[in-house]
Amino acid sequence: MSDLRVRFAPSPTGYLHVGGARTALFNWLLARKQGGTFILRIEDTDVERSTRESVDAILQGMEWLGLDWDEGPFYQSDSFPLYREYVQRLLAEGKAYRCYCSAAELEARRELAMREGRKPKYDGTCRDRSDHPDAPSVVRFRTPQGGEVAFNDLIKGRIAFPAEELDDLIIQRTDGTPTYNFCVVIDDATMKITTVIRGDDHVNNTPRQIQLYQALGFPVPEFAHVPMILGSDKARLSKRHGATSVMAYRDMGFLPEALINYLVRLGWSHGDDEIFSREEMIQRFDIGSVGRSAGVFNPDKLLWLNAHYIKAGDPERLADLLMPHLTRRGVVISNGPVLATVVKTLQERAQTLEEMAERALFYYQAPQGYDETALAKFDGDHLAKVFQVVAEKLSTTQAGTATEFDAIFKDICAENAWKMPQVGQPLRIALSGGTQAPGIGEIVETLGREESVRRIRVLSNVIAGV
Ligand code: GLU
Protein backbone atom coordinates (compact mmCIF):
# COMPACT_ATOMS: atom_id res chain seq x y z
CA MET A 1 0.00 0.00 0.00
CA SER A 2 1.19 3.54 -0.71
CA ASP A 3 0.07 6.72 1.05
CA LEU A 4 -1.75 7.92 -2.05
CA ARG A 5 -5.38 8.66 -1.26
CA VAL A 6 -7.72 9.86 -3.98
CA ARG A 7 -11.45 10.31 -4.15
CA PHE A 8 -14.36 10.64 -6.52
CA ALA A 9 -16.87 13.08 -5.12
CA PRO A 10 -20.03 13.27 -7.24
CA SER A 11 -22.99 15.48 -6.36
CA PRO A 12 -26.09 13.27 -6.54
CA THR A 13 -28.19 15.58 -8.64
CA GLY A 14 -28.48 13.32 -11.68
CA TYR A 15 -27.15 10.15 -13.26
CA LEU A 16 -23.45 9.28 -13.65
CA HIS A 17 -22.31 11.34 -16.62
CA VAL A 18 -19.57 10.01 -18.92
CA GLY A 19 -17.41 12.99 -17.90
CA GLY A 20 -17.81 12.10 -14.24
CA ALA A 21 -17.08 8.48 -15.05
CA ARG A 22 -13.83 9.49 -16.68
CA THR A 23 -12.83 11.50 -13.60
CA ALA A 24 -13.68 8.48 -11.45
CA LEU A 25 -11.67 6.26 -13.78
CA PHE A 26 -8.56 8.45 -13.60
CA ASN A 27 -8.76 8.45 -9.79
CA TRP A 28 -9.28 4.70 -9.73
CA LEU A 29 -6.41 4.03 -12.14
CA LEU A 30 -3.98 6.10 -10.13
CA ALA A 31 -5.00 4.38 -6.92
CA ARG A 32 -4.67 0.92 -8.44
CA LYS A 33 -1.38 1.74 -10.10
CA GLN A 34 0.23 3.07 -6.95
CA GLY A 35 -1.44 0.72 -4.51
CA GLY A 36 -3.23 3.69 -2.96
CA THR A 37 -6.75 4.12 -1.65
CA PHE A 38 -9.77 5.15 -3.71
CA ILE A 39 -12.58 6.78 -1.76
CA LEU A 40 -16.14 7.46 -2.86
CA ARG A 41 -17.77 10.50 -1.34
CA ILE A 42 -21.28 11.64 -2.10
CA GLU A 43 -21.51 15.43 -1.96
CA ASP A 44 -25.12 15.78 -0.93
CA THR A 45 -25.08 18.98 1.11
CA ASP A 46 -27.39 20.57 -1.44
CA VAL A 47 -30.43 18.84 0.03
CA GLU A 48 -32.82 20.45 -2.43
CA ARG A 49 -31.16 18.95 -5.47
CA SER A 50 -29.73 15.71 -4.08
CA THR A 51 -31.83 12.57 -4.43
CA ARG A 52 -31.58 8.97 -3.33
CA GLU A 53 -32.32 7.83 -6.92
CA SER A 54 -29.34 9.76 -8.11
CA VAL A 55 -27.08 8.22 -5.45
CA ASP A 56 -28.29 4.78 -6.52
CA ALA A 57 -27.73 5.61 -10.19
CA ILE A 58 -24.18 6.75 -9.48
CA LEU A 59 -23.36 3.66 -7.42
CA GLN A 60 -24.88 1.46 -10.10
CA GLY A 61 -22.82 3.18 -12.80
CA MET A 62 -19.61 2.78 -10.81
CA GLU A 63 -20.33 -0.87 -10.19
CA TRP A 64 -21.18 -1.53 -13.82
CA LEU A 65 -17.90 0.04 -14.89
CA GLY A 66 -16.01 -2.03 -12.32
CA LEU A 67 -14.67 1.03 -10.52
CA ASP A 68 -14.59 -0.43 -7.05
CA TRP A 69 -13.83 1.87 -4.14
CA ASP A 70 -11.87 1.07 -1.00
CA GLU A 71 -13.62 3.38 1.43
CA GLY A 72 -17.09 4.85 1.49
CA PRO A 73 -19.50 5.79 0.16
CA PHE A 74 -19.33 8.63 2.65
CA TYR A 75 -22.15 11.15 2.67
CA GLN A 76 -21.46 14.79 3.39
CA SER A 77 -24.90 15.08 4.93
CA ASP A 78 -23.61 12.84 7.76
CA SER A 79 -20.84 15.31 8.57
CA PHE A 80 -22.68 18.53 9.46
CA PRO A 81 -21.47 18.41 13.10
CA LEU A 82 -17.89 18.07 11.85
CA TYR A 83 -18.18 21.08 9.56
CA ARG A 84 -19.76 23.12 12.36
CA GLU A 85 -16.83 22.26 14.63
CA TYR A 86 -14.35 23.62 12.10
CA VAL A 87 -16.41 26.76 11.56
CA GLN A 88 -16.28 27.32 15.32
CA ARG A 89 -12.55 26.80 15.29
CA LEU A 90 -12.00 29.41 12.59
CA LEU A 91 -14.28 31.82 14.46
CA ALA A 92 -12.40 31.26 17.72
CA GLU A 93 -9.09 31.86 15.98
CA GLY A 94 -10.34 35.05 14.36
CA LYS A 95 -9.93 33.49 10.91
CA ALA A 96 -13.64 33.77 10.29
CA TYR A 97 -16.24 36.29 11.38
CA ARG A 98 -19.97 36.74 11.57
CA CYS A 99 -21.46 38.89 8.87
CA TYR A 100 -24.84 40.51 9.46
CA CYS A 101 -25.23 42.21 6.08
CA SER A 102 -28.64 41.38 4.69
CA ALA A 103 -29.22 40.06 1.19
CA ALA A 104 -30.80 43.41 0.23
CA GLU A 105 -27.80 45.40 1.49
CA LEU A 106 -25.39 43.14 -0.34
CA GLU A 107 -27.40 43.42 -3.54
CA ALA A 108 -27.49 47.22 -3.31
CA ARG A 109 -23.70 47.35 -2.82
CA ARG A 110 -23.20 44.93 -5.67
CA GLU A 111 -25.24 47.12 -7.99
CA LEU A 112 -23.36 50.22 -6.91
CA ALA A 113 -20.01 48.53 -7.57
CA MET A 114 -21.18 47.50 -11.02
CA ARG A 115 -22.39 51.02 -11.79
CA GLU A 116 -19.06 52.44 -10.70
CA GLY A 117 -17.19 49.90 -12.79
CA ARG A 118 -15.72 48.08 -9.78
CA LYS A 119 -15.62 44.32 -9.45
CA PRO A 120 -18.49 43.27 -7.19
CA LYS A 121 -16.86 41.86 -4.11
CA TYR A 122 -17.81 41.72 -0.44
CA ASP A 123 -16.67 45.06 0.95
CA GLY A 124 -15.65 43.86 4.39
CA THR A 125 -18.35 45.78 6.32
CA CYS A 126 -18.50 43.17 9.09
CA ARG A 127 -14.84 42.12 8.99
CA ASP A 128 -13.80 44.04 12.04
CA ARG A 129 -17.02 44.74 13.88
CA SER A 130 -16.90 43.88 17.53
CA ASP A 131 -20.59 44.05 18.41
CA HIS A 132 -22.78 40.96 18.26
CA PRO A 133 -26.20 42.13 17.15
CA ASP A 134 -29.09 39.80 17.80
CA ALA A 135 -29.69 39.32 14.10
CA PRO A 136 -29.29 36.53 11.57
CA SER A 137 -25.73 36.11 10.38
CA VAL A 138 -23.60 34.08 8.05
CA VAL A 139 -20.00 33.14 8.78
CA ARG A 140 -17.38 34.43 6.40
CA PHE A 141 -13.81 33.29 5.99
CA ARG A 142 -11.32 36.09 6.59
CA THR A 143 -9.57 35.63 3.25
CA PRO A 144 -5.87 36.46 3.47
CA GLN A 145 -5.16 39.62 1.50
CA GLY A 146 -2.34 40.38 -0.90
CA GLY A 147 -0.07 38.31 -3.05
CA GLU A 148 -1.30 35.40 -5.05
CA VAL A 149 -2.51 31.88 -4.53
CA ALA A 150 -0.74 29.45 -6.83
CA PHE A 151 -0.52 25.72 -7.32
CA ASN A 152 1.12 23.29 -9.70
CA ASP A 153 -1.66 21.42 -11.39
CA LEU A 154 -0.52 17.93 -12.39
CA ILE A 155 -2.25 18.33 -15.75
CA LYS A 156 -2.37 22.05 -16.44
CA GLY A 157 0.90 23.21 -14.92
CA ARG A 158 1.20 26.30 -12.73
CA ILE A 159 -2.00 28.20 -12.06
CA ALA A 160 -2.02 31.44 -10.07
CA PHE A 161 -4.82 33.72 -8.88
CA PRO A 162 -4.26 37.21 -7.41
CA ALA A 163 -5.56 37.08 -3.80
CA GLU A 164 -7.43 40.35 -4.30
CA GLU A 165 -9.85 38.55 -6.62
CA LEU A 166 -10.94 36.31 -3.77
CA ASP A 167 -13.42 37.88 -1.41
CA ASP A 168 -14.46 36.75 2.03
CA LEU A 169 -16.17 33.47 1.30
CA ILE A 170 -19.32 32.51 3.16
CA ILE A 171 -18.57 29.22 4.90
CA GLN A 172 -21.79 28.92 6.90
CA ARG A 173 -25.21 30.14 5.87
CA THR A 174 -27.77 31.89 8.05
CA ASP A 175 -29.52 28.58 8.69
CA GLY A 176 -26.29 27.09 10.02
CA THR A 177 -25.53 24.87 7.04
CA PRO A 178 -21.97 24.84 5.68
CA THR A 179 -21.21 25.86 2.10
CA TYR A 180 -19.77 23.77 -0.66
CA ASN A 181 -16.10 24.79 -0.78
CA PHE A 182 -15.80 24.55 2.98
CA CYS A 183 -17.21 21.00 3.14
CA VAL A 184 -14.91 19.84 0.34
CA VAL A 185 -11.84 21.10 2.19
CA ILE A 186 -12.84 19.62 5.54
CA ASP A 187 -13.59 16.29 3.90
CA ASP A 188 -10.47 16.16 1.75
CA ALA A 189 -8.35 17.12 4.74
CA THR A 190 -9.93 14.76 7.27
CA MET A 191 -9.99 11.93 4.72
CA LYS A 192 -6.29 12.65 4.19
CA ILE A 193 -6.68 12.98 0.43
CA THR A 194 -3.24 13.42 -1.12
CA THR A 195 -4.27 14.09 -4.73
CA VAL A 196 -7.47 15.77 -5.83
CA ILE A 197 -8.39 14.75 -9.37
CA ARG A 198 -11.54 16.46 -10.60
CA GLY A 199 -13.15 18.20 -13.55
CA ASP A 200 -11.59 21.50 -14.59
CA ASP A 201 -14.89 23.27 -13.93
CA HIS A 202 -13.55 23.34 -10.36
CA VAL A 203 -10.29 25.17 -11.11
CA ASN A 204 -11.74 28.42 -9.78
CA ASN A 205 -12.61 26.80 -6.47
CA THR A 206 -9.05 25.62 -5.89
CA PRO A 207 -7.42 28.88 -4.70
CA ARG A 208 -10.21 29.41 -2.17
CA GLN A 209 -9.83 25.86 -0.98
CA ILE A 210 -6.04 26.25 -0.69
CA GLN A 211 -6.52 29.30 1.53
CA LEU A 212 -8.86 27.31 3.74
CA TYR A 213 -6.37 24.44 4.05
CA GLN A 214 -3.71 26.91 5.09
CA ALA A 215 -5.93 28.68 7.59
CA LEU A 216 -6.86 25.36 9.17
CA GLY A 217 -3.25 24.15 9.24
CA PHE A 218 -3.92 21.20 6.94
CA PRO A 219 -1.38 20.05 4.34
CA VAL A 220 -2.46 21.16 0.87
CA PRO A 221 -3.01 18.17 -1.48
CA GLU A 222 -1.86 18.01 -5.08
CA PHE A 223 -4.41 18.94 -7.71
CA ALA A 224 -5.11 17.57 -11.18
CA HIS A 225 -7.92 19.22 -13.12
CA VAL A 226 -9.20 17.04 -15.92
CA PRO A 227 -10.36 18.86 -19.08
CA MET A 228 -14.00 18.65 -20.08
CA ILE A 229 -15.41 16.33 -22.69
CA LEU A 230 -16.82 18.14 -25.72
CA GLY A 231 -19.32 17.14 -28.38
CA SER A 232 -18.43 17.10 -32.08
CA ASP A 233 -19.34 20.82 -32.33
CA LYS A 234 -16.79 21.59 -29.59
CA ALA A 235 -19.50 22.57 -27.12
CA ARG A 236 -19.52 20.88 -23.73
CA LEU A 237 -20.90 17.35 -24.10
CA SER A 238 -24.59 17.37 -23.33
CA LYS A 239 -27.76 15.45 -24.11
CA ARG A 240 -27.97 17.37 -27.34
CA HIS A 241 -25.03 15.28 -28.61
CA GLY A 242 -26.63 11.97 -27.66
CA ALA A 243 -26.56 9.89 -24.51
CA THR A 244 -24.34 11.18 -21.72
CA SER A 245 -25.38 8.81 -18.97
CA VAL A 246 -23.19 5.80 -18.32
CA MET A 247 -26.19 3.54 -17.80
CA ALA A 248 -27.72 4.67 -21.09
CA TYR A 249 -24.66 3.16 -22.76
CA ARG A 250 -25.31 -0.11 -20.98
CA ASP A 251 -28.90 -0.02 -22.20
CA MET A 252 -27.75 0.71 -25.75
CA GLY A 253 -25.72 -2.48 -25.62
CA PHE A 254 -22.22 -1.29 -24.82
CA LEU A 255 -19.84 -3.39 -22.76
CA PRO A 256 -18.31 -1.74 -19.70
CA GLU A 257 -14.78 -2.57 -20.88
CA ALA A 258 -15.46 -0.77 -24.17
CA LEU A 259 -16.68 2.38 -22.43
CA ILE A 260 -13.76 2.28 -19.97
CA ASN A 261 -11.27 1.79 -22.80
CA TYR A 262 -12.89 4.63 -24.72
CA LEU A 263 -12.88 7.00 -21.75
CA VAL A 264 -9.27 6.35 -20.80
CA ARG A 265 -8.15 7.19 -24.31
CA LEU A 266 -10.17 10.38 -24.37
CA GLY A 267 -7.51 12.89 -23.50
CA TRP A 268 -4.83 10.38 -22.55
CA SER A 269 -2.59 8.35 -24.79
CA HIS A 270 0.15 5.80 -24.66
CA GLY A 271 1.88 5.85 -28.03
CA ASP A 272 -0.56 4.76 -30.72
CA ASP A 273 -2.17 2.08 -28.57
CA GLU A 274 -5.94 1.95 -28.75
CA ILE A 275 -6.89 -1.25 -26.99
CA PHE A 276 -6.05 -1.58 -23.33
CA SER A 277 -6.98 -4.36 -20.98
CA ARG A 278 -7.69 -3.25 -17.44
CA GLU A 279 -4.24 -4.43 -16.33
CA GLU A 280 -2.50 -2.59 -19.16
CA MET A 281 -4.39 0.58 -18.33
CA ILE A 282 -3.34 0.35 -14.71
CA GLN A 283 0.27 -0.28 -15.64
CA ARG A 284 0.54 2.47 -18.19
CA PHE A 285 -1.71 5.21 -16.85
CA ASP A 286 0.01 8.37 -15.81
CA ILE A 287 -1.96 11.41 -14.68
CA GLY A 288 0.83 13.69 -15.93
CA SER A 289 0.24 12.60 -19.51
CA VAL A 290 -3.45 13.49 -19.56
CA GLY A 291 -3.77 16.13 -22.27
CA ARG A 292 -4.41 19.75 -21.38
CA SER A 293 -7.07 20.27 -23.97
CA ALA A 294 -10.61 18.97 -23.91
CA GLY A 295 -11.34 15.64 -25.59
CA VAL A 296 -14.02 15.40 -28.27
CA PHE A 297 -16.49 12.56 -27.80
CA ASN A 298 -16.49 10.33 -30.86
CA PRO A 299 -19.40 7.84 -30.88
CA ASP A 300 -18.00 5.98 -33.92
CA LYS A 301 -14.81 5.17 -32.12
CA LEU A 302 -16.72 3.96 -29.10
CA LEU A 303 -18.75 1.73 -31.41
CA TRP A 304 -15.57 0.40 -32.98
CA LEU A 305 -14.16 -0.49 -29.56
CA ASN A 306 -17.44 -2.10 -28.57
CA ALA A 307 -17.42 -4.27 -31.69
CA HIS A 308 -13.87 -5.26 -30.83
CA TYR A 309 -14.79 -6.32 -27.31
CA ILE A 310 -17.89 -8.17 -28.48
CA LYS A 311 -15.85 -10.07 -31.03
CA ALA A 312 -13.23 -10.98 -28.45
CA GLY A 313 -15.67 -11.62 -25.60
CA ASP A 314 -16.40 -14.85 -23.79
CA PRO A 315 -19.71 -16.17 -25.24
CA GLU A 316 -21.02 -17.25 -21.84
CA ARG A 317 -20.49 -13.82 -20.35
CA LEU A 318 -21.89 -12.08 -23.42
CA ALA A 319 -24.94 -14.33 -23.19
CA ASP A 320 -25.55 -13.12 -19.62
CA LEU A 321 -25.17 -9.51 -20.68
CA LEU A 322 -27.40 -10.07 -23.72
CA MET A 323 -30.24 -11.56 -21.69
CA PRO A 324 -31.84 -8.26 -20.55
CA HIS A 325 -31.85 -7.03 -24.16
CA LEU A 326 -33.76 -10.15 -25.19
CA THR A 327 -36.12 -10.03 -22.24
CA ARG A 328 -36.99 -6.47 -23.16
CA ARG A 329 -38.05 -7.84 -26.54
CA GLY A 330 -40.24 -10.46 -24.95
CA VAL A 331 -37.98 -13.32 -26.01
CA VAL A 332 -38.14 -16.56 -24.03
CA ILE A 333 -35.07 -18.62 -24.62
CA SER A 334 -36.00 -21.79 -22.78
CA ASN A 335 -37.42 -23.52 -25.85
CA GLY A 336 -34.69 -22.45 -28.22
CA PRO A 337 -30.96 -22.94 -28.64
CA VAL A 338 -28.48 -22.34 -25.83
CA LEU A 339 -27.84 -18.60 -25.78
CA ALA A 340 -24.03 -18.84 -25.69
CA THR A 341 -24.18 -20.88 -28.91
CA VAL A 342 -26.33 -18.21 -30.52
CA VAL A 343 -23.87 -15.54 -29.35
CA LYS A 344 -21.01 -17.37 -31.05
CA THR A 345 -22.77 -17.08 -34.40
CA LEU A 346 -23.35 -13.32 -33.94
CA GLN A 347 -20.20 -12.03 -32.24
CA GLU A 348 -18.40 -11.32 -35.49
CA ARG A 349 -21.05 -8.98 -36.81
CA ALA A 350 -22.76 -7.17 -33.96
CA GLN A 351 -21.45 -3.81 -32.85
CA THR A 352 -23.70 -3.61 -29.80
CA LEU A 353 -25.70 -6.03 -27.68
CA GLU A 354 -28.84 -4.30 -28.91
CA GLU A 355 -27.88 -5.19 -32.45
CA MET A 356 -26.99 -8.70 -31.32
CA ALA A 357 -30.39 -9.05 -29.65
CA GLU A 358 -32.14 -8.02 -32.88
CA ARG A 359 -30.09 -10.51 -34.83
CA ALA A 360 -30.71 -13.24 -32.26
CA LEU A 361 -34.50 -12.94 -32.43
CA PHE A 362 -34.98 -15.40 -35.27
CA TYR A 363 -33.37 -18.19 -33.29
CA TYR A 364 -36.21 -18.01 -30.78
CA GLN A 365 -39.05 -16.78 -32.93
CA ALA A 366 -39.75 -18.36 -36.32
CA PRO A 367 -40.12 -15.73 -39.06
CA GLN A 368 -43.50 -13.99 -39.09
CA GLY A 369 -42.81 -12.53 -42.51
CA TYR A 370 -40.12 -12.65 -45.16
CA ASP A 371 -37.90 -10.17 -46.95
CA GLU A 372 -40.01 -9.94 -50.13
CA THR A 373 -37.46 -8.00 -52.14
CA ALA A 374 -34.77 -10.59 -51.45
CA LEU A 375 -37.19 -13.41 -52.29
CA ALA A 376 -38.26 -11.75 -55.53
CA LYS A 377 -34.73 -12.16 -56.86
CA PHE A 378 -35.39 -15.89 -57.32
CA ASP A 379 -38.04 -17.52 -59.42
CA GLY A 380 -40.66 -19.64 -57.70
CA ASP A 381 -39.64 -22.91 -59.32
CA HIS A 382 -36.06 -22.46 -58.26
CA LEU A 383 -37.09 -21.74 -54.69
CA ALA A 384 -39.41 -24.74 -54.59
CA LYS A 385 -36.65 -26.98 -55.85
CA VAL A 386 -34.00 -25.69 -53.44
CA PHE A 387 -36.32 -26.04 -50.45
CA GLN A 388 -37.37 -29.53 -51.48
CA VAL A 389 -33.82 -30.80 -52.03
CA VAL A 390 -32.43 -29.23 -48.87
CA ALA A 391 -35.33 -30.31 -46.65
CA GLU A 392 -35.01 -33.84 -47.87
CA LYS A 393 -31.29 -33.95 -47.35
CA LEU A 394 -31.44 -32.43 -43.87
CA SER A 395 -34.16 -34.85 -42.83
CA THR A 396 -32.04 -37.86 -43.63
CA THR A 397 -28.48 -36.82 -42.78
CA GLN A 398 -26.68 -37.62 -39.56
CA ALA A 399 -24.66 -34.39 -39.84
CA GLY A 400 -24.64 -32.11 -36.79
CA THR A 401 -21.94 -29.46 -37.14
CA ALA A 402 -21.79 -26.25 -39.16
CA THR A 403 -18.87 -27.61 -41.18
CA GLU A 404 -20.77 -30.76 -42.04
CA PHE A 405 -23.87 -28.81 -43.05
CA ASP A 406 -21.82 -26.44 -45.18
CA ALA A 407 -20.29 -29.47 -46.93
CA ILE A 408 -23.78 -30.79 -47.63
CA PHE A 409 -24.85 -27.46 -49.17
CA LYS A 410 -21.74 -27.47 -51.31
CA ASP A 411 -22.59 -30.96 -52.57
CA ILE A 412 -26.15 -29.91 -53.29
CA CYS A 413 -24.84 -26.98 -55.36
CA ALA A 414 -22.52 -29.24 -57.28
CA GLU A 415 -25.22 -31.83 -57.96
CA ASN A 416 -27.68 -29.25 -59.24
CA ALA A 417 -25.28 -26.83 -60.95
CA TRP A 418 -26.29 -24.05 -58.53
CA LYS A 419 -24.01 -21.36 -57.23
CA MET A 420 -23.78 -21.05 -53.45
CA PRO A 421 -25.83 -17.83 -53.14
CA GLN A 422 -28.64 -19.51 -55.08
CA VAL A 423 -28.99 -21.90 -52.17
CA GLY A 424 -27.65 -19.84 -49.29
CA GLN A 425 -29.87 -16.80 -49.70
CA PRO A 426 -33.21 -18.64 -50.00
CA LEU A 427 -32.25 -20.73 -46.99
CA ARG A 428 -31.33 -17.70 -44.93
CA ILE A 429 -34.69 -16.17 -45.78
CA ALA A 430 -36.53 -19.36 -44.84
CA LEU A 431 -34.67 -19.74 -41.57
CA SER A 432 -34.38 -16.15 -40.42
CA GLY A 433 -36.86 -14.15 -42.49
CA GLY A 434 -34.12 -12.02 -44.05
CA THR A 435 -30.66 -12.11 -45.53
CA GLN A 436 -28.73 -10.52 -42.67
CA ALA A 437 -27.88 -13.71 -40.90
CA PRO A 438 -24.85 -15.80 -39.99
CA GLY A 439 -23.50 -18.60 -42.20
CA ILE A 440 -26.05 -21.20 -43.23
CA GLY A 441 -24.19 -24.10 -41.65
CA GLU A 442 -23.96 -22.18 -38.37
CA ILE A 443 -27.67 -21.39 -38.40
CA VAL A 444 -28.68 -24.98 -39.05
CA GLU A 445 -26.34 -26.27 -36.35
CA THR A 446 -27.66 -23.75 -33.83
CA LEU A 447 -31.36 -24.04 -34.70
CA GLY A 448 -31.12 -27.81 -35.02
CA ARG A 449 -31.98 -29.89 -38.08
CA GLU A 450 -35.58 -30.47 -37.15
CA GLU A 451 -36.47 -26.83 -36.63
CA SER A 452 -34.54 -25.87 -39.77
CA VAL A 453 -36.47 -28.36 -41.88
CA ARG A 454 -39.72 -27.17 -40.36
CA ARG A 455 -38.98 -23.53 -41.26
CA ILE A 456 -37.90 -24.47 -44.79
CA ARG A 457 -41.19 -26.33 -45.30
CA VAL A 458 -43.19 -23.39 -43.95
CA LEU A 459 -41.74 -20.99 -46.51
CA SER A 460 -41.99 -23.64 -49.20
CA ASN A 461 -45.73 -23.91 -48.48
CA VAL A 462 -46.14 -20.12 -48.42
CA ILE A 463 -44.59 -19.92 -51.87
CA ALA A 464 -46.69 -22.81 -53.16
CA GLY A 465 -49.74 -21.02 -51.80
CA VAL A 466 -50.64 -23.98 -49.61
N1 GLU B 1 -19.11 17.42 -6.24
C1 GLU B 1 -18.35 17.98 -7.30
C2 GLU B 1 -18.99 17.63 -8.63
O1 GLU B 1 -19.78 16.71 -8.69
C3 GLU B 1 -16.91 17.52 -7.32
C4 GLU B 1 -16.09 18.28 -6.38
C5 GLU B 1 -14.67 17.85 -6.31
O2 GLU B 1 -14.30 16.82 -6.91
O3 GLU B 1 -13.93 18.54 -5.60
O4 GLU B 1 -18.71 18.28 -9.60
Side-chain angles (χ1 to χ4, degrees), residues 314-377:
D314 166 45
E316 301 280 347
R317 173 174 171 256
L318 291 176
D320 287 344
L321 297 176
L322 182 64
M323 213 38 230
H325 298 269
L326 290 172
T327 310
R328 225 183 288 153
R329 288 170 167 77
V331 174
V332 179
I333 63 163
S334 49
N335 295 326
V338 173
L339 190 53
T341 319
V342 167
V343 166
K344 276 189 214 164
T345 71
L346 302 169
Q347 273 179 279
E348 282 293 321
R349 298 170 189 83
Q351 286 188 298
T352 66
L353 294 176
E354 274 291 277
E355 194 183 328
M356 190 183 269
E358 276 303 310
R359 288 172 182 254
L361 285 181
F362 80 87
Y363 283 115
Y364 300 100
Q365 299 169 346
Q368 301 295 308
Y370 298 96
D371 180 339
E372 295 297 335
T373 323
L375 266 185
K377 292 190 181 136

Side-chain angles (χ1 to χ4, degrees), residues 7 9-11 41 43 180 184 188 196-198 201-202 209:
R7 82 320 187 253
S11 305
R41 181 172 80 224
E43 302 208 315
Y180 172 74
V184 172
D188 284 340
V196 170
I197 304 174
R198 61 182 169 209
D201 45 340
H202 290 282
Q209 295 183 4

Side-chain angles (χ1 to χ4, degrees), residues 101-115 120:
C101 300
S102 68
E105 283 165 344
L106 292 171
E107 183 53 28
R109 278 181 240 156
R110 204 183 71 86
E111 276 174 15
L112 182 68
M114 301 274 271
R115 269 204 307 278

Side-chain angles (χ1 to χ4, degrees), residues 151-191:
F151 60 99
N152 277 317
D153 191 278
L154 297 176
I155 296 173
K156 293 175 182 283
R158 186 172 190 275
I159 300 180
F161 292 80
E164 66 177 52
E165 278 185 16
L166 309 167
D167 60 0
D168 287 355
L169 182 74
I170 296 176
I171 56 175
Q172 184 175 286
R173 300 183 190 91
T174 317
D175 64 3
T177 57
T179 58
Y180 172 74
N181 275 302
F182 190 71
C183 300
V184 172
V185 169
I186 301 302
D187 282 339
D188 284 340
T190 54
M191 292 174 186

Side-chain angles (χ1 to χ4, degrees), residues 4 35 59 65 71 92 109 148 156 162 180 193 198 217 221 252 281 306 312 321 323 337-338 348 360 409 428 440 444:
L4 177 100
L59 299 184
L65 289 171
E71 292 179 16
R109 278 181 240 156
E148 60 173 21
K156 293 175 182 283
Y180 172 74
I193 301 301
R198 61 182 169 209
M252 290 189 294
M281 255 181 245
N306 204 49
L321 297 176
M323 213 38 230
V338 173
E348 282 293 321
F409 298 133
R428 269 203 190 82
I440 282 299
V444 176

